[in-house]
Amino acid sequence: MRAPDLDQSLRDKFSGEELSIRGYKLTPKGEQILEQYQDIIDRHPKKNL
């Protein structure tokens, strides 16, 4: 399947809103690291989402 065909197939199966949602999920190891280095994270500016 070529890229334009794939794009069209995705648009046919999913709404624009569904396609615009992007997210990340931390692994258990990642959560452990965040807890371990929370002081470093707290020193960085936070984005308003």
Side-chain angles (χ1 to χ4, degrees):
M1 182 178 286
R2 295 176 57 197
D5 298 331
L6 176 59
D7 290 342
Q8 185 60 48
S9 178
L10 288 171
R11 281 192 291 275
D12 292 344
K13 294 184 185 306
F14 299 100
S15 70
E17 185 177 322
E18 289 174 307
L19 290 173
S20 67
I21 296 173
R22 295 180 186 192
Y24 298 93
K25 183 176 180 181
L26 287 174
T27 63
K29 184 176 181 179
E31 290 176 357
Q32 178 185 9
I33 296 294
L34 284 177
E35 289 176 15
Q36 184 177 353
Y37 295 104
Q38 188 62 46
D39 59 320
I40 296 172
I41 295 165
D42 290 340
R43 287 184 275 178
H44 286 77
K46 307 293 185 274
K47 292 183 180 180
N48 293 329
L49 299 177

